[in-house]
C-alpha cells in the first residue's frame, strides 16, 4: 500500500442530484476529472442532456438521470431504472436544494411542505433506496450531503430553509451510525457563499451584496469549483475513516461575529 493519500475515484459510479448547474455540476466535473463515472440529474431532459454533453466534451464519462427528486412516488421506479441502466452508484451526493426566502409570517403551508419535501424528505427517501442497493451489492458506499452554514445561522426573512438544512445535518449523522458497520460512510459539506447562478441576484444586489461580503474574512464569494476539493476528498479512499462529519467550506464566514 502506498504512503501517499489516494484521491482517485477511478472505477466508482457517482450520482449527484441537481447537477445541471452550480455546485452540483462543479462536483460532477471534479468527480469526472478524478476518474469516476458520473450521473447527471435534473428535472428537464434538455438541461440534463446539455450537462452530460459538456461532461463528454471534457472527456468525462457521464450518464443522464432525468428525475424530479421531489416526486416521492416516482423516486423508487426512477432509481430502479437508473441502477439497471448504469449500475448502483457507489457515491450519492445529495445536492438538490431549493430556497423560498420568506419569514414565517409570510410563508404558507404550501411553501413549508414544498421546501421540506424537496430539500429534506426527498434526500432521506433517496438515501433509503440507495443504501439498500449499496448493501445488497456490498459497495463501500459514500453519502455526501450539501447542508449549509444557513442551517446553523438564522436570519430574518428565511424561516424554512434552515429547518431543512439542520434536518439534513441530522440525516448525515443518522446514515453514518446506521450504515457505518457496512463500510458505508455519510458526511456533509456546509457551503458558505458561492457565486452560483442562483446567487447572482444576491451577489449583484447593491445593498445586500456588500453586507454579505463584509461578514466574510476572505471578502469574496467562492467560485463553484472551490467546492470540488471537499467533495472529492469525502468520496475518496483517503476519507475511509471519516464518518458523520460536516465539513464547512465558507471562507470563515461562520466563525465571525
Ligand atoms: N450556492 C451557495 O452559495 C450555497 C450555499 C449553501 C448551501 N448551498 C446548497 O448547495 C446545493 C447547490 O446549490 P446551488 O446554488 O448550486 O443550487 P442551484 O444553482 O439552484 O442548482 C440547483 C440544481 O438542482 C436542480 N434541481 C432543483 N430542483 C430539483 C428537483 N426537484 N429534482 C432534481 N433536480 C433539481 C437544478 O436543476 P434543474 O433546474 O435543471 O432541474 C440545478 O441543477 C443546494 O442544496 C444549496 O442549498 C448552496
Amino acid at each position: 500500500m502506498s504512503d501517499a493519500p489516494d484521491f482517485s475515484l477511478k472505477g466508482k459510479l457517482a450520482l449527484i442530484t441537481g447537477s445541471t448547474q452550480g455546485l452540483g455540476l462543479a462536483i460532477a466535473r471534479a468527480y469526472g476529472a478524478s476518474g469516476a463515472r458520473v450521473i447527471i440529474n435534473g428535472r428537464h431532459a434538455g438541461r440534463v442532456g446539455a450537462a452530460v454533453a459538456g461532461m463528454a466534451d471534457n472527456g468525462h464519462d457521464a450518464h443522464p438521470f432525468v428525475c424530479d427528486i421531489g416526486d416521492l412516488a416516482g423516486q423508487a421506479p426512477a432509481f430502479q431504472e437508473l441502477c439497471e441502466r448504469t449500475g448502483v452508484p457507489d457515491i450519492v451526493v445529495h445536492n438538490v436544494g431549493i430556497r423560498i426566502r420568506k419569514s414565517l409570517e409570510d410563508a404558507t403551508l404550501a411553501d413549508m411542505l414544498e421546501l421540506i419535501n424537496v430539500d429534506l424528505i426527498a434526500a432521506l427517501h433517496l438515501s433509503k433506496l440507495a443504501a439498500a442497493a449499496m448493501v445488497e451489492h456490498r459497495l463501500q458506499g459514500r453519502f455526501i450531503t450539501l447542508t449549509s452554514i444557513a442551517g446553523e445561522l438564522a436570519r430574518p426573512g428565511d424561516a424554512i430553509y434552515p429547518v431543512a438544512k439542520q434536518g439534513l445535518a441530522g440525516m448525515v449523522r443518522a446514515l453514518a451510525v446506521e450504515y457505518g458497520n457496512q463500510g458505508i460512510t455519510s458526511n456533509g459539506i456546509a457551503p458558505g457563499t458561492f457565486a452560483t447562478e442562483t446567487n447572482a441576484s444576491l451577489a449583484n444586489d447593491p445593498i445586500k451584496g456588500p453586507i454579505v461580503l463584509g461578514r466574510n474574512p476572505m471578502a469574496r464569494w467562492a467560485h463553484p469549483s472551490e467546492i470540488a476539493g471537499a467533495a472529492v476528498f469525502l468520496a475518496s479512499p483517503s476519507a475511509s475513516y471519516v464518518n458523520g462529519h460536516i465539513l464547512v467550506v465558507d471562507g470563515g464566514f461562520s466563525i465571525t461575529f
Side-chain angles (χ1 to χ4, degrees), residues 81-190:
E81 183 277 328
L82 176 72
C83 292
E84 285 165 8
R85 182 162 47 87
T86 65
V88 176
D90 303 272
I91 302 161
V92 173
V93 180
H94 294 298
N95 173 74
V96 162
I98 59 169
R99 193 164 192 165
I100 301 171
R101 289 181 199 268
K102 288 187 181 176
S103 66
L104 196 55
E105 186 179 352
D106 292 340
T108 64
L109 179 58
D111 292 331
M112 297 176 200
L113 291 172
E114 181 186 355
L115 194 148
I116 300 292
N117 180 63
V118 172
D119 287 16
L120 179 59
I121 307 294
L124 191 59
H125 189 247
L126 182 60
S127 297
K128 178 180 168 69
L129 300 174
M134 288 173 184
V135 169
E136 186 188 340
H137 291 261
R138 298 177 187 278
L139 300 181
Q140 302 288 293
R142 297 292 169 86
F143 286 102
I144 297 164
T145 301
L146 276 287
T147 64
S148 174
I149 60 167
E152 293 282 340
L153 307 172
R155 57 182 299 119
D158 196 14
I160 321 171
Y161 183 77
V163 178
K165 290 299 185 183
Q166 277 297 70
L168 285 174
M171 185 188 85
V172 166
R173 294 185 281 269
L175 291 174
V177 298
E178 188 163 340
Y179 295 101
N181 65 359
Q182 317 249 24
I184 297 169
T185 65
S186 164
N187 293 288
I189 300 173

Side-chain angles (χ1 to χ4, degrees), residues 18-24 41-44 47 67-70 95-98 118 146-148 161 165 191-194 196-199:
S19 42
T20 60
Q21 66 172 40
L23 301 187
N41 165 248
R43 293 163 292 183
H44 314 288
R47 283 171 55 75
C67 173
D68 181 342
I69 294 296
N95 173 74
V96 162
I98 59 169
V118 172
L146 276 287
T147 64
S148 174
Y161 183 77
K165 290 299 185 183
T193 47
F194 279 73
T196 59
E197 293 87 337
T198 299
N199 276 339

